[in-house]
Amino acid sequence: MMGAAGGLFVAAHLGRGSVELLGFPVVILAATIYAFIGFYLGIDLPPDAAPRADNVATPRVKWIERLSASGTFFAALAVFVSVWNIILDGQPNSLATLLVGGGFVIGVTMQIAAGSIARARA
């Protein structure tokens, strides 16, 4: 639910910007679904990719977790900026709109990549 809500806030922010293509309902729905998938895959890593409590010597890849955490940070930062702009009733310019949208897409893509790789290794 958090991913879908975040995607909806970012899509609302992008729709208010001066880029007309980003205001279509299909783009808003696509951003919501993309964020939902990204947050699910990026936050819910399989147990084999997560740190183990005991000190069993098992190979573990930390870069997958770092990729997921970085993606979550970028996506959450884009959501924060979007909500902040909506609350303050700001009118974003084209550059700000593209920066928020680009940061969101990069972050969610990082989450999807980390979740997919972790599931393939599990």
Side-chain angles (χ1 to χ4, degrees):
M1 290 298 290
M2 180 57 204
L8 188 60
F9 283 126
V10 170
H13 171 80
L14 297 179
R16 293 177 50 157
S18 56
V19 181
E20 288 187 31
L21 178 66
L22 299 175
F24 289 127
V26 173
V27 175
I28 294 171
L29 181 64
T32 303
I33 292 172
Y34 192 62
F36 172 75
I37 292 169
F39 270 74
Y40 172 73
L41 290 176
I43 292 175
D44 188 30
L45 294 177
D48 291 343
R52 298 189 69 158
D54 54 352
N55 290 330
V56 178
T58 59
R60 186 170 77 87
V61 182
K62 291 185 178 181
W63 66 270
I64 294 173
E65 295 158 2
R66 290 187 182 119
L67 184 66
S68 173
S70 300
T72 302
F73 176 76
F74 286 131
L77 184 63
V79 171
F80 176 76
V81 170
S82 297
V83 170
W84 180 49
N85 197 345
I86 291 169
I87 289 173
L88 294 180
D89 199 25
Q91 186 62 29
N93 59 12
S94 298
L95 180 63
T97 300
L98 293 177
L99 282 175
V100 168
F104 181 73
V105 168
I106 289 170
V108 173
T109 303
M110 290 168 69
Q111 288 179 318
I112 290 173
S116 300
I117 293 169
R119 280 170 177 70
R121 291 178 178 237

Short mmCIF file of all heavy atoms in Angstrom, two decimals, residues 38-51 59-73 107-122:
data_model
loop_
_atom_site.label_atom_id
_atom_site.label_comp_id
_atom_site.label_asym_id
_atom_site.label_seq_id
_atom_site.Cartn_x
_atom_site.Cartn_y
_atom_site.Cartn_z
N GLY A 38 7.48 -2.04 -7.22
CA GLY A 38 8.83 -1.73 -6.75
C GLY A 38 8.97 -1.81 -5.24
O GLY A 38 9.93 -2.39 -4.73
N PHE A 39 8.01 -1.24 -4.52
CA PHE A 39 8.11 -1.29 -3.06
C PHE A 39 7.94 -2.71 -2.54
O PHE A 39 8.58 -3.10 -1.58
CB PHE A 39 7.08 -0.35 -2.42
CG PHE A 39 7.59 1.04 -2.21
CD1 PHE A 39 7.74 1.91 -3.26
CD2 PHE A 39 7.93 1.48 -0.94
CE1 PHE A 39 8.20 3.19 -3.08
CE2 PHE A 39 8.41 2.76 -0.74
CZ PHE A 39 8.54 3.62 -1.81
N TYR A 40 7.09 -3.50 -3.20
CA TYR A 40 6.94 -4.89 -2.75
C TYR A 40 8.22 -5.68 -2.98
O TYR A 40 8.71 -6.37 -2.08
CB TYR A 40 5.77 -5.58 -3.48
CG TYR A 40 5.73 -7.05 -3.19
CD1 TYR A 40 5.31 -7.51 -1.94
CD2 TYR A 40 6.16 -7.98 -4.12
CE1 TYR A 40 5.29 -8.86 -1.65
CE2 TYR A 40 6.15 -9.33 -3.84
CZ TYR A 40 5.72 -9.76 -2.61
OH TYR A 40 5.71 -11.10 -2.32
N LEU A 41 8.77 -5.59 -4.18
CA LEU A 41 9.98 -6.36 -4.48
C LEU A 41 11.21 -5.84 -3.74
O LEU A 41 12.06 -6.61 -3.32
CB LEU A 41 10.26 -6.33 -5.99
CG LEU A 41 9.31 -7.12 -6.87
CD1 LEU A 41 9.66 -6.91 -8.34
CD2 LEU A 41 9.32 -8.58 -6.53
N GLY A 42 11.31 -4.54 -3.57
CA GLY A 42 12.51 -3.96 -2.97
C GLY A 42 12.56 -4.02 -1.47
O GLY A 42 13.64 -4.06 -0.88
N ILE A 43 11.41 -4.02 -0.82
CA ILE A 43 11.41 -4.01 0.64
C ILE A 43 11.29 -5.43 1.19
O ILE A 43 11.87 -5.76 2.22
CB ILE A 43 10.28 -3.12 1.16
CG1 ILE A 43 10.61 -1.66 0.82
CG2 ILE A 43 10.10 -3.26 2.66
CD1 ILE A 43 9.53 -0.69 1.18
N ASP A 44 10.59 -6.29 0.51
CA ASP A 44 10.35 -7.65 0.99
C ASP A 44 11.34 -8.62 0.32
O ASP A 44 10.97 -9.42 -0.52
CB ASP A 44 8.90 -8.06 0.68
CG ASP A 44 8.54 -9.38 1.31
OD1 ASP A 44 9.10 -9.71 2.37
OD2 ASP A 44 7.70 -10.09 0.73
N LEU A 45 12.61 -8.52 0.71
CA LEU A 45 13.63 -9.41 0.16
C LEU A 45 13.49 -10.80 0.77
O LEU A 45 13.12 -10.94 1.94
CB LEU A 45 15.03 -8.86 0.44
CG LEU A 45 15.39 -7.54 -0.25
CD1 LEU A 45 16.77 -7.09 0.18
CD2 LEU A 45 15.32 -7.67 -1.75
N PRO A 46 13.79 -11.84 0.02
CA PRO A 46 13.71 -13.19 0.56
C PRO A 46 14.70 -13.38 1.72
O PRO A 46 15.71 -12.67 1.81
CB PRO A 46 14.10 -14.09 -0.61
CG PRO A 46 14.05 -13.25 -1.81
CD PRO A 46 14.15 -11.84 -1.38
N PRO A 47 14.44 -14.34 2.60
CA PRO A 47 15.31 -14.55 3.76
C PRO A 47 16.76 -14.86 3.38
O PRO A 47 17.66 -14.53 4.13
CB PRO A 47 14.68 -15.74 4.48
CG PRO A 47 13.29 -15.80 3.99
CD PRO A 47 13.29 -15.22 2.62
N ASP A 48 17.01 -15.50 2.27
CA ASP A 48 18.38 -15.82 1.91
C ASP A 48 19.19 -14.59 1.56
O ASP A 48 20.41 -14.59 1.67
CB ASP A 48 18.41 -16.78 0.71
CG ASP A 48 17.89 -18.15 1.08
OD1 ASP A 48 17.82 -18.44 2.30
OD2 ASP A 48 17.54 -18.93 0.18
N ALA A 49 18.54 -13.53 1.14
CA ALA A 49 19.26 -12.30 0.81
C ALA A 49 19.37 -11.37 2.00
O ALA A 49 20.14 -10.42 1.98
CB ALA A 49 18.55 -11.57 -0.33
N ALA A 50 18.63 -11.64 3.07
CA ALA A 50 18.66 -10.80 4.26
C ALA A 50 19.75 -11.28 5.21
O ALA A 50 20.19 -12.43 5.13
CB ALA A 50 17.30 -10.85 4.95
N PRO A 51 20.22 -10.42 6.12
CA PRO A 51 21.25 -10.85 7.07
C PRO A 51 20.74 -11.92 8.01
O PRO A 51 19.58 -11.93 8.40
CB PRO A 51 21.59 -9.57 7.83
CG PRO A 51 20.53 -8.60 7.52
CD PRO A 51 19.84 -9.03 6.28
N PRO A 59 27.35 -17.66 2.05
CA PRO A 59 27.61 -16.53 1.17
C PRO A 59 26.39 -15.61 1.11
O PRO A 59 25.27 -16.06 0.98
CB PRO A 59 27.87 -17.19 -0.18
CG PRO A 59 27.25 -18.52 -0.09
CD PRO A 59 27.31 -18.93 1.33
N ARG A 60 26.65 -14.34 1.25
CA ARG A 60 25.57 -13.37 1.26
C ARG A 60 26.03 -12.15 0.48
O ARG A 60 27.16 -11.70 0.61
CB ARG A 60 25.25 -12.98 2.70
CG ARG A 60 24.05 -12.10 2.83
CD ARG A 60 23.66 -11.97 4.28
NE ARG A 60 24.50 -11.07 5.01
CZ ARG A 60 24.31 -9.76 5.08
NH1 ARG A 60 23.32 -9.21 4.46
NH2 ARG A 60 25.11 -9.00 5.79
N VAL A 61 25.19 -11.63 -0.34
CA VAL A 61 25.54 -10.49 -1.17
C VAL A 61 24.95 -9.24 -0.55
O VAL A 61 23.74 -9.08 -0.48
CB VAL A 61 25.01 -10.70 -2.61
CG1 VAL A 61 25.42 -9.55 -3.49
CG2 VAL A 61 25.52 -12.01 -3.17
N LYS A 62 25.82 -8.35 -0.07
CA LYS A 62 25.34 -7.14 0.57
C LYS A 62 24.95 -6.06 -0.43
O LYS A 62 24.18 -5.18 -0.11
CB LYS A 62 26.41 -6.58 1.51
CG LYS A 62 26.65 -7.44 2.71
CD LYS A 62 27.63 -6.79 3.64
CE LYS A 62 27.83 -7.64 4.86
NZ LYS A 62 28.75 -7.03 5.80
N TRP A 63 25.46 -6.15 -1.64
CA TRP A 63 25.15 -5.09 -2.59
C TRP A 63 23.68 -5.12 -3.01
O TRP A 63 23.13 -4.09 -3.38
CB TRP A 63 26.08 -5.14 -3.80
CG TRP A 63 25.93 -6.35 -4.67
CD1 TRP A 63 26.60 -7.53 -4.56
CD2 TRP A 63 25.05 -6.50 -5.78
NE1 TRP A 63 26.19 -8.40 -5.53
CE2 TRP A 63 25.25 -7.79 -6.29
CE3 TRP A 63 24.12 -5.67 -6.39
CZ2 TRP A 63 24.54 -8.27 -7.38
CZ3 TRP A 63 23.41 -6.16 -7.48
CH2 TRP A 63 23.63 -7.44 -7.96
N ILE A 64 23.04 -6.27 -2.91
CA ILE A 64 21.61 -6.34 -3.22
C ILE A 64 20.83 -5.53 -2.18
O ILE A 64 19.92 -4.77 -2.53
CB ILE A 64 21.12 -7.80 -3.25
CG1 ILE A 64 21.75 -8.54 -4.42
CG2 ILE A 64 19.61 -7.86 -3.34
CD1 ILE A 64 21.45 -10.01 -4.45
N GLU A 65 21.21 -5.66 -0.93
CA GLU A 65 20.54 -4.91 0.12
C GLU A 65 20.81 -3.42 0.00
O GLU A 65 19.94 -2.59 0.25
CB GLU A 65 20.98 -5.43 1.48
CG GLU A 65 20.53 -6.87 1.69
CD GLU A 65 21.35 -7.58 2.74
OE1 GLU A 65 22.25 -6.96 3.33
OE2 GLU A 65 21.10 -8.77 2.95
N ARG A 66 22.03 -3.07 -0.39
CA ARG A 66 22.37 -1.66 -0.59
C ARG A 66 21.61 -1.07 -1.77
O ARG A 66 21.18 0.08 -1.73
CB ARG A 66 23.87 -1.50 -0.77
CG ARG A 66 24.63 -1.77 0.49
CD ARG A 66 26.09 -1.44 0.34
NE ARG A 66 26.79 -1.76 1.57
CZ ARG A 66 27.76 -2.63 1.67
NH1 ARG A 66 28.20 -3.26 0.60
NH2 ARG A 66 28.33 -2.86 2.82
N LEU A 67 21.46 -1.85 -2.83
CA LEU A 67 20.70 -1.41 -3.99
C LEU A 67 19.24 -1.18 -3.60
O LEU A 67 18.64 -0.17 -3.98
CB LEU A 67 20.81 -2.44 -5.11
CG LEU A 67 20.14 -2.10 -6.45
CD1 LEU A 67 20.84 -0.91 -7.09
CD2 LEU A 67 20.19 -3.30 -7.37
N SER A 68 18.69 -2.09 -2.83
CA SER A 68 17.31 -1.95 -2.38
C SER A 68 17.15 -0.73 -1.47
O SER A 68 16.20 0.04 -1.62
CB SER A 68 16.87 -3.21 -1.64
OG SER A 68 15.61 -3.03 -1.07
N ALA A 69 18.07 -0.55 -0.55
CA ALA A 69 17.99 0.59 0.37
C ALA A 69 18.15 1.91 -0.36
O ALA A 69 17.45 2.88 -0.07
CB ALA A 69 19.05 0.44 1.46
N SER A 70 19.07 1.96 -1.32
CA SER A 70 19.25 3.19 -2.09
C SER A 70 18.01 3.50 -2.92
O SER A 70 17.59 4.66 -3.01
CB SER A 70 20.46 3.06 -3.01
OG SER A 70 21.63 2.83 -2.27
N GLY A 71 17.45 2.49 -3.53
CA GLY A 71 16.23 2.69 -4.30
C GLY A 71 15.08 3.17 -3.44
O GLY A 71 14.32 4.06 -3.83
N THR A 72 14.95 2.59 -2.25
CA THR A 72 13.91 3.02 -1.32
C THR A 72 14.13 4.47 -0.92
O THR A 72 13.17 5.25 -0.83
CB THR A 72 13.89 2.11 -0.07
OG1 THR A 72 13.68 0.76 -0.49
CG2 THR A 72 12.80 2.52 0.89
N PHE A 73 15.37 4.86 -0.68
CA PHE A 73 15.68 6.24 -0.31
C PHE A 73 15.30 7.21 -1.43
O PHE A 73 14.63 8.22 -1.18
CB PHE A 73 17.17 6.38 0.03
CG PHE A 73 17.56 7.80 0.31
CD1 PHE A 73 17.23 8.40 1.51
CD2 PHE A 73 18.26 8.54 -0.63
CE1 PHE A 73 17.58 9.72 1.76
CE2 PHE A 73 18.62 9.84 -0.39
CZ PHE A 73 18.28 10.44 0.81
N GLY A 107 14.72 5.29 -8.47
CA GLY A 107 14.61 4.60 -7.19
C GLY A 107 13.78 3.34 -7.26
O GLY A 107 14.17 2.29 -6.74
N VAL A 108 12.63 3.42 -7.91
CA VAL A 108 11.77 2.24 -8.00
C VAL A 108 12.41 1.17 -8.89
O VAL A 108 12.31 -0.03 -8.59
CB VAL A 108 10.36 2.64 -8.52
CG1 VAL A 108 9.51 1.42 -8.78
CG2 VAL A 108 9.68 3.55 -7.51
N THR A 109 13.11 1.60 -9.93
CA THR A 109 13.81 0.63 -10.78
C THR A 109 14.90 -0.08 -10.00
O THR A 109 15.11 -1.29 -10.16
CB THR A 109 14.40 1.33 -12.02
OG1 THR A 109 13.33 1.98 -12.73
CG2 THR A 109 15.09 0.35 -12.93
N MET A 110 15.60 0.64 -9.13
CA MET A 110 16.62 0.02 -8.28
C MET A 110 15.98 -1.00 -7.34
O MET A 110 16.54 -2.08 -7.11
CB MET A 110 17.37 1.09 -7.48
CG MET A 110 18.27 1.95 -8.33
SD MET A 110 18.89 3.41 -7.47
CE MET A 110 19.99 2.69 -6.27
N GLN A 111 14.81 -0.68 -6.80
CA GLN A 111 14.11 -1.62 -5.93
C GLN A 111 13.69 -2.88 -6.69
O GLN A 111 13.85 -3.99 -6.19
CB GLN A 111 12.87 -0.96 -5.33
CG GLN A 111 13.15 0.06 -4.28
CD GLN A 111 11.86 0.66 -3.77
OE1 GLN A 111 10.95 0.94 -4.53
NE2 GLN A 111 11.80 0.85 -2.46
N ILE A 112 13.16 -2.69 -7.87
CA ILE A 112 12.73 -3.84 -8.67
C ILE A 112 13.92 -4.71 -9.04
O ILE A 112 13.86 -5.94 -8.97
CB ILE A 112 11.96 -3.38 -9.92
CG1 ILE A 112 10.60 -2.80 -9.51
CG2 ILE A 112 11.77 -4.52 -10.92
CD1 ILE A 112 9.83 -2.16 -10.64
N ALA A 113 15.04 -4.08 -9.41
CA ALA A 113 16.23 -4.85 -9.76
C ALA A 113 16.75 -5.64 -8.55
O ALA A 113 17.07 -6.83 -8.66
CB ALA A 113 17.32 -3.92 -10.28
N ALA A 114 16.81 -4.99 -7.39
CA ALA A 114 17.31 -5.67 -6.19
C ALA A 114 16.39 -6.82 -5.80
O ALA A 114 16.86 -7.92 -5.48
CB ALA A 114 17.43 -4.68 -5.04
N GLY A 115 15.10 -6.60 -5.82
CA GLY A 115 14.16 -7.67 -5.47
C GLY A 115 14.19 -8.83 -6.44
O GLY A 115 14.12 -9.99 -6.05
N SER A 116 14.31 -8.51 -7.72
CA SER A 116 14.37 -9.57 -8.74
C SER A 116 15.63 -10.40 -8.62
O SER A 116 15.60 -11.63 -8.71
CB SER A 116 14.26 -8.96 -10.13
OG SER A 116 13.06 -8.27 -10.28
N ILE A 117 16.77 -9.74 -8.41
CA ILE A 117 18.03 -10.46 -8.26
C ILE A 117 18.02 -11.31 -7.00
O ILE A 117 18.45 -12.46 -7.01
CB ILE A 117 19.22 -9.47 -8.26
CG1 ILE A 117 19.35 -8.81 -9.63
CG2 ILE A 117 20.51 -10.16 -7.87
CD1 ILE A 117 20.30 -7.64 -9.65
N ALA A 118 17.49 -10.75 -5.90
CA ALA A 118 17.46 -11.52 -4.65
C ALA A 118 16.55 -12.74 -4.77
O ALA A 118 16.87 -13.81 -4.26
CB ALA A 118 16.97 -10.62 -3.52
N ARG A 119 15.45 -12.60 -5.48
CA ARG A 119 14.54 -13.74 -5.65
C ARG A 119 15.15 -14.79 -6.60
O ARG A 119 14.91 -15.98 -6.43
CB ARG A 119 13.21 -13.26 -6.18
CG ARG A 119 12.35 -12.70 -5.07
CD ARG A 119 11.12 -12.00 -5.58
NE ARG A 119 10.27 -11.53 -4.52
CZ ARG A 119 10.56 -10.54 -3.69
NH1 ARG A 119 11.71 -9.90 -3.80
NH2 ARG A 119 9.73 -10.17 -2.75
N ALA A 120 15.92 -14.34 -7.57
CA ALA A 120 16.56 -15.29 -8.48
C ALA A 120 17.64 -16.09 -7.77
O ALA A 120 17.88 -17.25 -8.09
CB ALA A 120 17.16 -14.55 -9.68
N ARG A 121 18.29 -15.49 -6.79
CA ARG A 121 19.35 -16.18 -6.04
C ARG A 121 18.81 -17.06 -4.93
O ARG A 121 19.52 -17.92 -4.44
CB ARG A 121 20.32 -15.17 -5.44
CG ARG A 121 21.14 -14.47 -6.47
CD ARG A 121 22.05 -13.46 -5.81
NE ARG A 121 22.86 -12.82 -6.81
CZ ARG A 121 24.16 -12.82 -6.81
NH1 ARG A 121 24.81 -13.42 -5.84
NH2 ARG A 121 24.84 -12.23 -7.75
N ALA A 122 17.58 -16.79 -4.49
CA ALA A 122 17.03 -17.55 -3.36
C ALA A 122 16.56 -18.93 -3.76
O ALA A 122 16.36 -19.30 -4.82
CB ALA A 122 15.86 -16.79 -2.75
#
